[in-house]
Amino acid sequence: MEYYITVEPGVRIYVNDINPQGEKPILFMHGWPANHHLFEYQYNELIQKGYRCIGMDVRGFGKSDKPVYGYDYDTSADDIRCVIQALNLCDLTLLGHSTAGAVAIRYMARYGGYGVSKLVLCAAAAPSLIQRPNFPYGLKEEDVLQIIYNTYQDRPKMLEDFGEMFFYQPVTEPFSRWFWSLGLEAASWATAYVSCAWLYETLFDDMKCINVPTLIMHGIHDEVCKYPLGVAQHKGIKGSEFITFENSGHGLFYDEKDKFNCELMKFVGEK
């Protein structure tokens, strides 16, 4: 079932509740610059096993509305809260990839994990995507500034370049075109504004607020959210479980999709 959920006047978020009669609901939050179709190869398997898979296009991306504001982590967390409340979700597994992993952490801190019983972070952009004086990991600030510049100058080429560093395992040319097309569905301004948020958003304190079982999955070849970010998440989130993907980059859910799906179902709970 497909919904448009109003999160504030004039802004609607698109949600695809793929198997609403299923059990053990999982809310999939996609990373920049794609949309909920990024998890196609999770949906395909999990719905056959009876799980309820809910894909959400974050504001500015996919089929969601594309205002010129609201691309900070707080507002993104507010959007999640509206979706969870509108669908009356409880005992939910919240899964966030990349930037959405960072937003998921902010949601847990900002709303006390309302409706969420388990958290999954995969290649998450936390506690900081960029290097800082107290955090010598992640991307350099100038790398992000270059992404923003390229977005404004030639967004299709920027997306193509990003796709080339996204996966560690070889992908076919048709698959590359498909992945590239997901980014084109976003608004150009949303693509740039989320990139701007990487420069100032941090989650060091937010991670301390998480008090639900948390699974962290990270590829050692990740060129976007470097592997030490996953290590830092594991250290910063009390009681978290950390699984390394030896043959994956940023797109670990496709690089090693069988392992990813298996670990996800094991963590959520076998049916």
Side-chain angles (χ1 to χ4, degrees):
M1 299 180 67
E2 297 176 278
Y3 305 93
Y4 276 98
I5 295 171
T6 299
V7 295
E8 61 179 274
V11 181
R12 302 169 305 155
I13 296 297
Y14 172 84
V15 176
N16 191 355
D17 196 347
I18 299 169
N19 186 25
Q21 303 307 315
E23 300 177 10
K24 298 185 180 296
I26 307 169
L27 178 58
F28 289 84
M29 302 294 302
H30 67 86
W32 177 98
N35 56 54
H36 82 280
H37 289 296
L38 198 66
F39 297 107
E40 176 177 323
Y41 297 91
Q42 281 62 61
Y43 304 148
N44 288 344
E45 181 170 352
L46 270 63
I47 60 175
Q48 294 183 51
K49 301 288 180 62
Y51 292 87
R52 181 182 180 184
C53 297
I54 306 163
M56 169 181 161
D57 287 347
V58 303
R59 91 165 49 198
F61 297 79
K63 294 183 179 179
S64 287
D65 286 345
K66 300 170 174 62
V68 296
Y69 59 88
Y71 297 100
D72 58 285
Y73 289 1
D74 282 354
T75 303
S76 297
D78 296 346
D79 290 347
I80 295 175
R81 175 66 166 80
C82 290
V83 169
I84 290 176
Q85 184 173 26
L87 296 183
N88 195 28
L89 297 173
C90 59
D91 196 20
L92 172 72
T93 297
L94 178 62
L95 183 151
H97 172 254
S98 194
T99 301
V103 170
I105 293 173
R106 176 60 51 81
Y107 174 81
M108 298 300 292
R110 188 168 171 84
Y111 287 104
Y114 172 84
V116 176
S117 60
K118 294 182 178 182
L119 177 66
V120 178
L121 305 173
C122 42
S128 171
L129 181 64
I130 68 170
Q131 299 174 13
R132 301 185 186 278
N134 63 333
F135 190 72
Y137 311 110
L139 301 178
K140 296 180 179 178
E141 181 176 339
E142 52 263 36
D143 295 333
V144 172
L145 292 174
Q146 188 65 52
I147 289 173
I148 297 168
Y149 176 82
N150 292 344
T151 298
Y152 285 126
Q153 296 301 313
D154 188 342
R155 187 165 66 104
K157 181 63 167 61
M158 181 279 293
L159 293 172
E160 181 180 80
D161 293 342
F162 184 71
E164 291 177 355
M165 64 185 296
F166 197 92
F167 300 100
Y168 177 68
Q169 301 293 336
V171 297
T172 65
E173 180 60 32
F175 186 94
S176 293
R177 292 197 300 269
W178 170 78
F179 180 76
W180 177 76
S181 72
L182 299 183
L184 285 179
E185 293 182 30
S188 57
W189 53 89
T191 305
Y193 292 165
V194 170
S195 302
C196 292
W198 299 335
L199 297 173
Y200 62 84
E201 294 279 13
T202 63
L203 298 125
F204 296 97
D205 291 334
D206 300 73
M207 293 193 303
K208 300 174 184 177
C209 300
I210 295 174
N211 58 4
V212 300
T214 301
L215 173 64
I216 299 165
M217 297 188 280
H218 218 107
I220 63 173
H221 302 285
D222 196 328
E223 296 183 46
V224 182
C225 296
K226 306 290 188 176
Y227 182 74
L229 271 65
V231 176
Q233 294 159 32
H234 181 45
K235 291 180 179 178
I237 299 175
K238 186 177 180 180
S240 59
E241 178 183 358
F242 186 37
I243 298 178
T244 295
F245 281 65
E246 301 284 348
N247 298 300
S248 290
H250 197 52
L252 69 170
F253 47 83
Y254 188 75
D255 280 331
E256 295 182 78
K257 62 177 177 289
D258 291 340
K259 177 179 178 179
F260 185 95
N261 292 348
C262 179
E263 295 292 352
L264 175 59
M265 287 186 287
K266 184 166 63 176
F267 178 71
V268 173
E270 294 287 358
K271 296 183 77 314

